[in-house]
Amino acid sequence: MAANPDAGTMALPEPLQSVASCSLPFRLGEAERQTAKFVEVGGERAVRVQEASESWGTTGLVASREWLVIPGTCRHMALSLLCGAGSPECSARILHRPEQPPTDTERVTLRSWLGGDPLDARRPEHQSASVGRLEQLPPPSEDTATSITARAVTQPPPNWLPGPPVSQTRSWSESDTLEEPYALDEGPRGFVVSGRVYSLHRGDCCVRPKEVRTWGSARLHVFSTGGKWTVQRTYVVLEQPKRGRSQWLFTAGPGLRVLGVHQGRAWLEEPVFMDPGFSLVAIELDTGAVWHLALDASPTFEPDEYRADRVTPQGLLLKSVEGGRREPKLVSWAPLERALREAKPPTR
């Protein structure tokens, strides 16, 4: 193999010195961008080189690679990760030269660098990775109503776990198997990915407690991803301390907001991302039943012109998105409770 002309061999850490004569798709010795250490693969010594993460174009995605290099033969391959900035979700593939597919042992080694454990929906620390999203709402009724109406869908029934919600950990699952190798847009030239594709959930770093609300013997926990200004997902957990149990109910988009409680049900608002409008979530605090609702438009009412404000004894108070230019509107409980009774079952 050709020597790497940019490597100051004697100044390199020992792991990098052992592969300095290899022709590699990255520069050795960029101290601020690389970490390197010896690892064992099938009883032989190899080198693990971790490149610094970098933003991929304007997509908001972050690409990173960890290279496995075999001294002597100079075989090299990588675990390639593509993650949403501030998001726990990543897609992982194994990157290699077309003429040098990894052995099964090398693939197992690369996969182990994902960290964490295989996803297990029964484990309390894997709940943020396994909880479902809010069910898709049914289409609006074709009947033209003169009064406010609503439609709803139920969420799958809760699966209670013992104890309060716990800190989430890293987990992964196999999401696909590639039939043919192909080149990655974000990968170096001359390389392909092949084999299994993995979904990595970084619950350890990216799912954090945000808010806790208590009503009687029920607690509603809200977890979120990202920072103060970059929340991408929210997770809602119902805890019943007196019964010693909790359940991760659903995950939703950013901006989810608790409105209040009426007759044993918590009401939340989920704004439509980057567009006008909102939907509602109702949670029965005793049973854990959840509904996803939306208000329907009529000749006298356009829900996209409002946002949910708060729960009142008389109904749900809406506020105009135009501020003081339009009066607040009160939606009585009757159409909302009717929608709960007539809710469609979940599709999954």
Side-chain angles (χ1 to χ4, degrees):
M1 290 289 191
N4 188 332
D6 296 318
T9 305
M10 298 305 295
L12 292 174
E14 185 181 358
L16 294 183
Q17 288 185 36
S18 69
V19 296
S21 62
C22 298
S23 178
L24 300 171
F26 54 89
R27 295 178 60 185
L28 297 177
E30 296 180 344
E32 295 182 358
R33 294 178 55 81
Q34 291 175 356
T35 59
K37 63 181 180 181
F38 287 116
V39 295
E40 187 175 293
V41 181
E44 297 183 358
R45 192 167 72 165
V47 178
R48 176 180 178 176
V49 183
Q50 182 175 3
E51 290 188 276
S53 302
E54 57 185 21
S55 297
W56 187 45
T58 59
T59 62
L61 298 173
V62 178
S64 63
R65 290 180 289 271
E66 293 195 57
W67 291 92
L68 176 64
V69 187
I70 313 299
T73 65
C74 290
R75 281 172 54 80
H76 51 280
M77 60 217 69
L79 178 70
S80 177
L81 284 175
L82 192 63
C83 308
S87 167
E89 308 302 336
C90 301
S91 177
R93 297 168 174 83
I94 292 178
L95 186 71
H96 60 88
R97 293 193 182 277
E99 69 277 10
Q100 294 182 347
T103 65
D104 289 345
T105 300
E106 290 166 343
R107 287 186 182 275
V108 169
T109 298
L110 291 165
R111 187 190 66 190
S112 71
W113 296 353
L114 290 171
D117 299 307
L119 176 62
D120 184 348
R122 297 167 298 180
R123 292 176 59 170
E125 65 271 27
H126 285 185
Q127 295 307 297
S128 62
S130 55
V131 66
R133 299 194 177 203
L134 284 172
E135 288 287 322
Q136 185 174 354
L137 288 161
S141 171
E142 296 181 0
D143 297 335
T144 301
T146 56
S147 59
I148 295 178
T149 60
R151 53 199 150 95
V153 60
T154 59
Q155 294 290 118
N159 178 28
W160 295 101
L161 297 172
V166 302
S167 297
Q168 299 298 284
T169 61
R170 185 169 293 221
S171 60
W172 55 267
S173 60
E174 296 177 4
S175 59
D176 197 7
T177 300
L178 302 174
E179 295 182 0
E180 297 289 340
Y182 72 92
L184 279 181
D185 291 339
E186 70 273 18
R189 291 184 179 180
F191 285 78
V192 296
V193 292
S194 68
R196 291 184 172 91
V197 179
Y198 301 95
S199 294
L200 173 65
H201 181 84
R202 302 175 298 170
D204 53 342
C205 72
C206 304
V207 179
R208 303 181 180 91
K210 179 184 178 184
E211 180 184 7
V212 180
R213 301 284 289 272
T214 302
W215 299 282
S217 59
R219 287 188 193 134
L220 204 63
H221 300 254
V222 178
F223 292 75
S224 67
T225 66
K228 182 177 180 181
W229 306 110
T230 59
V231 173
Q232 295 185 348
R233 303 295 307 167
T234 50
Y235 304 82
V236 176
V237 186
L238 176 62
E239 181 191 2
Q240 296 177 338
K242 290 184 177 180
R243 298 182 185 180
R245 64 183 190 176
S246 61
Q247 167 63 13
W248 291 65
L249 296 174
F250 62 88
T251 177
L256 189 76
R257 192 166 61 90
V258 179
L259 302 173
V261 168
H262 175 72
Q263 293 187 350
R265 293 191 186 108
W267 289 83
L268 298 82
E269 180 207 44
E270 184 192 30
V272 177
F273 184 62
M274 300 292 289
D275 281 310
F278 64 92
S279 63
L280 298 167
V281 180
I283 303 170
E284 198 163 72
L285 298 176
D286 181 54
T287 66
V290 178
W291 297 263
H292 188 200
L293 307 89
L295 299 174
D296 289 328
S298 73
T300 59
F301 174 64
E302 177 50 67
D304 287 355
E305 296 177 353
Y306 294 88
R307 289 284 303 273
D309 186 21
R310 65 183 184 273
V311 165
T312 73
Q314 294 76 33
L316 184 66
L317 189 65
L318 309 182
K319 61 181 179 181
S320 169
V321 295
E322 299 179 357
R325 296 178 58 184
R326 192 186 300 272
E327 290 294 321
K329 193 173 191 68
L330 184 69
V331 178
S332 71
W333 290 116
L336 298 174
E337 292 174 350
R338 185 182 308 113
L340 300 187
R341 292 192 301 269
E342 299 174 355
K344 302 293 184 182
T347 56
R348 54 187 165 91

